[in-house]
Amino acid sequence: MKTKRYLPLTHEMCEQAVLEAFDRKWFRRDYLATVEKYGGVSRAELSRAAQVNDWNVRLEAVNGIALEMEQRVEDLLDGEAEDLDLDPVSVFYRIDGISMKRRQLSNCCPLHQCFGHLAVIGLRPLFRAKLLPYQFASIPGKGQIALKRQVEHWLRRKSLGIQHAVKLDVQGAYAHTKQELVMKLLQREIPGARWLMAVVRCLLAMAPSDGLLIGGYLEAWLFNLVASYMLVKIMGYAKTRRGASTPLVVRCGSYMDDLVLLGRRWADIQSAARKITKWALAELGLPIKTDWVRVDFLSASEEHQRRHLTGAAKGCPGLDMAGYVMHRTYTTIRPRIFIRARRQYIRAKEDVVRQGHIPVWRSYKLVSYNGYFDWTKSRGITETLGQKKLFKAAKVAVRVYTQRKTMKARIAA
């Protein structure tokens, strides 16, 4: 059965990986250089084909890059090469606009990205078998909104009887996920996948440390694979009373390096949190922070009663995760995100009065914050800020700027 949890290497798979890696990046300088070097297509040919919406030139370049990838993998398996001969990974630092944390990110060359997509395509049967439905980060079709909806469904489902929750944070998740651990898990799950093991090992070795790259496509999937083992372990915790086994945790999920455990009794959730903290450190080498975030949910009737109050008394306990604060009967925006979003919309209104338009750099911010207003209980503040009109104006500004930028890039190419 385990031999079916990976795909054999084919030329079509390499072409698919190139198409995925190059999506919306065809006219970036580094990607154009890769097309010229390995695809055999000049920038002028690519630009002329784009103007008439001709995909044949791009497909020709994809075929050339896919052939180069196949050859490098074959050389690696035959022992003629020790690695994939990729450009070194550059590391840079960026301040997170929400948490204001200084994060280390990585910049990989286009060919590195292609091999990352190739490895993920080959590992998709394994990911499909091992990843749980309640993992929401870096998975197509899931994300912040999917997590929000799922938690809302859990809280409003009376048969689950969820009363408490705890949010756990894996400290330095990518940095502490050792490459040896990942290779050990893959070796156990797909021992016959020689080409995948060789490609993944080479890509992981490109990291400046012995952990995972932050910003890599393959690395995000691999961390989800590791996190799936923690979730399975959590759901397996149970207590036995009078011959009956009862799970300690009713539901659990993960979003990036955050884990959430929900249940009926706080003592049971606390016991499961202690156990998974000890197990994750011993078996996976992942330290979980000891400052847990406890949430004691109110009943639906109690939340409705508080709506008539004013000030701080109106607020209800909620689960703060993935940018949202989820309560039993409603969902709000995380306070820090709301403050920043409100500030940007107020300044955008001033830009319209003073300049007659919204600057492009601020338009990007308005567009990125729009989802928080659409998917939460924010009708009052939306009308006060004139959020809908400002969002439409920002969307038009971004579209016009993107069209002009693309046209300039094609002409320059």
Side-chain angles (χ1 to χ4, degrees):
M1 293 296 293
K2 291 184 178 180
T3 57
K4 297 182 180 179
R5 291 186 175 179
Y6 70 93
L7 299 177
L9 181 64
T10 62
H11 181 72
E12 291 73 17
M13 189 187 300
C14 294
E15 289 183 328
Q16 182 182 353
V18 176
L19 287 173
E20 290 182 5
F22 274 67
D23 185 33
R24 300 182 182 180
K25 302 175 185 176
W26 278 95
F27 290 94
R28 284 175 43 172
R29 291 184 179 180
D30 50 349
Y31 283 80
L32 286 172
T34 303
V35 169
E36 287 185 328
K37 185 175 182 179
Y38 302 109
V41 176
S42 66
R43 302 188 183 192
E45 291 176 317
L46 196 62
S47 178
R48 287 194 297 268
Q51 292 175 2
V52 297
N53 199 23
D54 181 11
W55 272 81
N56 291 324
V57 176
R58 292 191 182 186
L59 294 178
E60 180 183 348
V62 168
N63 180 64
I65 298 173
L67 289 174
E68 176 67 21
M69 294 172 63
E70 277 188 285
Q71 187 62 50
R72 294 193 182 189
V73 175
E74 291 176 1
D75 293 342
L76 187 65
L77 295 177
D78 294 339
E80 299 178 7
E82 297 181 356
D83 53 31
L84 295 173
D85 193 22
L86 302 174
D87 294 338
V89 175
S90 59
V91 177
F92 62 97
Y93 294 89
R94 179 172 294 173
I95 302 297
D96 190 326
I98 301 300
S99 63
M100 301 308 294
K101 295 180 180 178
R102 186 171 180 262
R103 302 189 183 277
Q104 176 181 307
L105 303 180
S106 304
N107 184 25
C108 306
C109 69
L111 212 54
H112 189 138
Q113 296 284 0
C114 292
F115 277 108
H117 281 265
L118 177 63
V120 171
I121 293 173
L123 289 169
R124 275 177 185 169
L126 175 63
F127 293 143
R128 194 178 300 115
K130 301 298 292 186
L131 299 189
L132 303 182
Y134 307 138
Q135 294 181 257
F136 297 94
S138 306
I139 299 177
K142 296 187 178 182
Q144 294 171 284
I145 296 175
L147 171 65
K148 180 190 79 74
R149 287 176 170 176
Q150 186 63 72
V151 173
E152 289 173 345
H153 175 71
W154 287 337
L155 293 178
R156 296 167 190 175
R157 187 175 168 185
K158 294 183 179 180
S159 60
L160 295 179
I162 294 175
Q163 300 293 331
H164 310 276
V166 62
K167 188 177 76 170
L168 309 178
D169 187 5
V170 181
Q171 184 177 4
Y174 279 44
H176 287 104
T177 304
K178 304 303 180 184
Q179 300 171 14
E180 295 180 1
L181 170 67
V182 174
M183 297 306 301
K184 180 181 178 181
L185 296 178
L186 293 180
Q187 183 64 41
R188 185 174 64 187
E189 298 291 343
I190 49 173
R194 288 186 61 246
W195 79 270
L196 268 173
M197 298 294 291
V199 170
V200 173
R201 184 179 292 106
C202 290
L203 293 179
L204 293 180
M206 298 290 293
S209 63
D210 58 351
L212 299 180
L213 284 173
I214 299 179
Y217 181 72
L218 171 63
E219 286 74 8
W221 284 92
L222 292 178
F223 179 74
N224 274 330
L225 177 64
V226 175
S228 68
Y229 288 88
M230 288 192 287
L231 295 181
V232 170
K233 194 69 177 179
I234 291 171
M235 294 304 298
Y237 292 140
K239 63 180 180 180
T240 303
R241 294 291 185 273
R242 299 176 182 176
S245 178
T246 305
L248 297 181
V249 174
V250 176
R251 290 291 186 271
C252 67
S254 70
Y255 183 81
M256 300 179 71
D257 58 351
D258 290 335
L259 304 175
V260 59
L261 284 61
L262 302 101
R264 300 182 180 89
R265 296 180 67 248
W266 170 246
D268 293 343
I269 298 177
Q270 193 176 28
S271 176
R274 289 198 190 101
K275 290 182 178 181
I276 194 60
T277 300
K278 183 178 179 180
W279 182 86
L281 183 60
E283 299 296 330
L284 305 178
L286 294 177
I288 296 179
K289 296 180 181 178
T290 56
D291 50 340
W292 306 339
V293 180
R294 175 181 175 176
V295 183
D296 300 317
F297 296 103
L298 301 179
S299 65
S301 59
E302 289 175 329
E303 289 190 355
H304 283 296
Q305 291 175 0
R306 289 201 181 190
R307 291 184 181 181
H308 303 288
L309 303 178
T310 58
K314 187 177 182 179
C316 301
L319 175 62
D320 187 342
M321 193 171 180
Y324 296 96
V325 182
M326 291 150 280
H327 310 266
R328 195 177 297 276
T329 59
Y330 67 98
T331 300
T332 57
I333 308 174
R334 176 179 290 171
R336 286 183 298 179
I337 296 178
F338 172 74
I339 292 174
R340 292 177 177 275
R342 176 179 176 273
R343 184 181 300 147
Q344 291 300 326
Y345 275 97
I346 291 176
R347 292 176 179 176
K349 188 182 295 185
E350 295 175 353
D351 290 333
V352 173
V353 174
R354 185 172 61 253
Q355 304 176 11
H357 68 280
I358 304 175
V360 175
W361 62 271
R362 195 185 302 280
S363 297
Y364 276 107
K365 294 185 178 182
L366 300 191
V367 171
S368 65
Y369 283 126
N370 178 69
Y372 293 105
F373 292 93
D374 283 347
W375 297 101
T376 58
K377 184 190 173 191
S378 307
R379 183 183 303 173
I381 190 63
T382 297
E383 295 176 354
T384 302
L385 294 176
Q387 187 265 336
K388 294 299 181 183
K389 293 183 179 179
L390 292 173
F391 167 68
K392 291 180 180 179
K395 190 165 60 172
V396 171
V398 170
R399 182 170 64 247
V400 172
Y401 173 77
T402 303
Q403 292 174 350
R404 291 178 179 176
K405 185 178 180 181
T406 303
M407 187 62 64
K408 289 182 180 179
R410 292 176 179 176
I411 295 175

